[in-house]
Amino acid sequence: MKWMSLALLIAQTLGFGMTLRYTRLCPGPRFSDLTAVICSEFVKLVASCAMIVAESGTNGLAQSVRHMICEEQRSTALMGIPGVIYAAQNYLYFLGGSNLSVTMYQVAKQAAIPATAVISVVCLGKHVDAGRWIALLVLTAGVAIVTLHGDTVVSGNLTVGLSCVLVASMCSAFASVFTEAMIKSERCTIWERNLQLSVFGTLSGCICLGTNGMACFEPDVFFSGYGWQVWALVFIQSLGGLLTATVLKYADSVMKCVAKATAVVAAATLSRIVFSEGPSLDTMQFQVGTLAVVFGTTAYSLGFDKLGFRCCLKSEEQDSRHNAGAVKVSGEVIGTSWEHGDDTTEMTVLLEDCDKDGVSLEGDEHATEMSLSVTASAQV
């Protein structure tokens, strides 16, 4: 399930960028970015309800709604934070993608990778070893190399496009980590969390649209510029929201970013072939960047050890932690006592003339007590 969801997320990320660019290049009236966000959030809402019904039946949907409203009020309210942030992020991505080529749009989004890693470490206490930090740096550098000159023939406001995508990437980093913590708390199912996110996303979008007047909700105005391409874009965007929550359930926030980064190389290739944008495929720039992205993605996902490498930084770090926790204690054992618990067994040792690394330990004049906890299954 983990790798399937990651693969689908890669395909969705690639499809969204290509479809968004195609809709903006098509002649005719342009659709509203905000209405597209509202529609995608509503589709996610309906899909989440359908999944709850498929798993638990109609009564299960009613019980889920009652559970979220009556028993998990605080948890439900907290989901409003990432729900609103995700809606704002999606609007900024639509706006940014309208002003950038597919390659530049994708590379700008990779700012979320290091941001998500840092926030995961700070907020969730995750440990990212030295090898994976190196993999993230290689991945980010590779993406930048591949898409360095992606907008040489594109019309649009580069400053507006980059600003929107970079801000949206920061929003994505925070919302992803927040949502991951909420989903893995297991107080609600993954589909209930998706339902909460989509409800808040739909409401916040409607409130923003309503500030321009109620006439904006008239069908002729709301769906102006909509065609099959736009509806395809809406459904692809909705699928991304559902897949993101699934990835956060079975993997983590940084793996989500790594999966999306993998789609960048494919996007650069297709952008060149379909829209004549982005780097030439036969250049050293593209080939080196592609190799760096593939290596960085694989190294982060599997780890250096499974690739047959020995990361010196990782080994030194482990040795440092081991040495920091090692204490040399000498003395004559004159007595022991045991206390048994459910999961651990505590052994208290009495040492006479106890000495730790040449420094005398505190104790009475005859002995010093030491406690050692071991697992119940340990062999002593």
Side-chain angles (χ1 to χ4, degrees):
M1 187 63 181
K2 172 183 176 180
W3 296 109
M4 180 182 296
S5 60
L6 288 172
L8 289 174
L9 185 59
I10 292 172
Q12 182 275 334
T13 302
L14 175 61
F16 177 78
M18 296 296 293
T19 306
L20 176 59
R21 191 65 188 158
Y22 178 73
T23 58
R24 287 315 190 193
L25 294 177
C26 289
R30 294 179 56 162
F31 65 92
S32 167
D33 295 325
L34 185 55
T35 61
V37 171
I38 294 173
C39 288
S40 65
E41 291 295 329
F42 183 76
V43 171
K44 284 191 289 185
L45 190 155
V46 174
S48 299
C49 291
M51 291 304 299
I52 294 175
V53 171
E55 290 183 350
S56 308
T58 306
N59 292 335
L61 177 60
Q63 292 175 357
S64 293
V65 173
R66 183 167 57 251
H67 171 71
M68 290 183 289
I69 296 176
C70 300
E71 300 176 15
E72 295 291 339
Q73 301 97 328
R74 182 176 180 276
S75 175
T76 300
L78 285 175
M79 289 302 293
I81 298 175
V84 173
I85 292 176
Y86 273 132
Q89 162 213 293
N90 291 335
Y91 174 75
L92 291 172
Y93 277 150
F94 270 103
L95 187 59
S98 300
N99 287 278
L100 301 173
S101 68
V102 176
T103 49
M104 185 61 74
Y105 168 77
Q106 293 284 11
V107 72
K109 288 181 67 176
Q110 304 319 304
I113 297 178
T116 304
V118 171
I119 294 175
S120 295
V121 171
V122 174
C123 297
L124 298 183
K126 287 182 175 291
H127 173 69
V128 179
D129 59 43
R132 282 185 163 83
W133 280 117
I134 293 174
L136 287 175
L137 291 176
V138 172
L139 171 60
T140 305
V143 170
I145 292 172
V146 169
T147 58
L148 187 60
H149 302 293
D151 274 8
T152 55
V153 294
V154 176
S155 60
N157 192 317
L158 180 63
T159 302
V160 172
L162 284 177
S163 298
C164 289
V165 175
L166 290 175
V167 172
S169 297
M170 297 302 104
C171 293
S172 175
F174 175 79
S176 295
V177 173
F178 194 104
T179 304
E180 178 186 346
M182 296 297 291
I183 288 176
K184 291 185 176 180
S185 67
E186 298 184 352
R187 298 179 67 90
C188 295
T189 67
I190 185 174
W191 300 116
E192 289 174 342
R193 292 302 189 198
N194 269 306
L195 179 58
Q196 293 167 342
L197 288 172
S198 57
V199 167
F200 284 110
T202 303
L203 289 177
S204 60
C206 290
I207 291 173
C208 291
L209 185 63
T211 59
N212 297 321
M214 297 306 295
C216 295
F217 292 98
E218 295 180 2
D220 292 341
V221 179
F222 191 93
F223 296 109
S224 176
Y226 275 62
W228 69 267
Q229 306 96 328
V230 181
W231 283 113
L233 182 65
V234 166
F235 280 99
I236 292 174
Q237 174 68 6
S238 302
L239 178 63
L242 298 175
L243 286 174
T244 296
T246 304
V247 169
L248 294 178
K249 175 68 174 179
Y250 295 103
D252 59 33
S253 299
V254 184
M255 284 290 286
K256 182 208 74 172
C257 291
V258 171
K260 289 190 173 184
T262 307
V264 173
V265 174
T269 304
L270 291 178
S271 178
R272 186 69 180 179
I273 295 173
V274 178
F275 303 123
S276 299
E277 300 172 346
S280 298
L281 305 184
D282 58 351
T283 62
M284 181 66 71
Q285 168 192 340
F286 181 81
Q287 294 168 1
V288 172
T290 301
L291 180 62
V293 169
V294 173
F295 176 79
T297 302
T298 306
Y300 183 87
S301 302
L302 301 180
F304 277 85
D305 289 342
K306 290 186 178 180
L307 293 178
F309 294 97
R310 288 294 179 184
C311 181
C312 297
L313 291 176
K314 181 178 179 181
S315 298
E316 291 175 0
E317 179 182 325
Q318 290 177 337
D319 291 342
S320 176
R321 288 202 305 267
H322 174 75
N323 292 334
V327 177
K328 180 181 178 181
V329 179
S330 61
E332 181 181 353
V333 178
I334 60 175
T336 60
S337 63
W338 296 83
E339 291 185 9
H340 299 279
D342 294 334
D343 299 316
T344 62
T345 298
E346 183 173 281
M347 178 178 66
T348 300
V349 183
L350 293 178
L351 298 176
E352 186 177 38
D353 299 326
C354 184
D355 183 85
K356 177 180 75 103
D357 294 336
V359 179
S360 179
L361 296 176
E362 293 183 0
D364 60 33
E365 58 180 335
H366 299 294
T368 299
E369 283 191 356
M370 293 183 59
S371 294
L372 173 67
S373 294
V374 296
T375 59
S377 59
Q379 299 293 324
V380 179

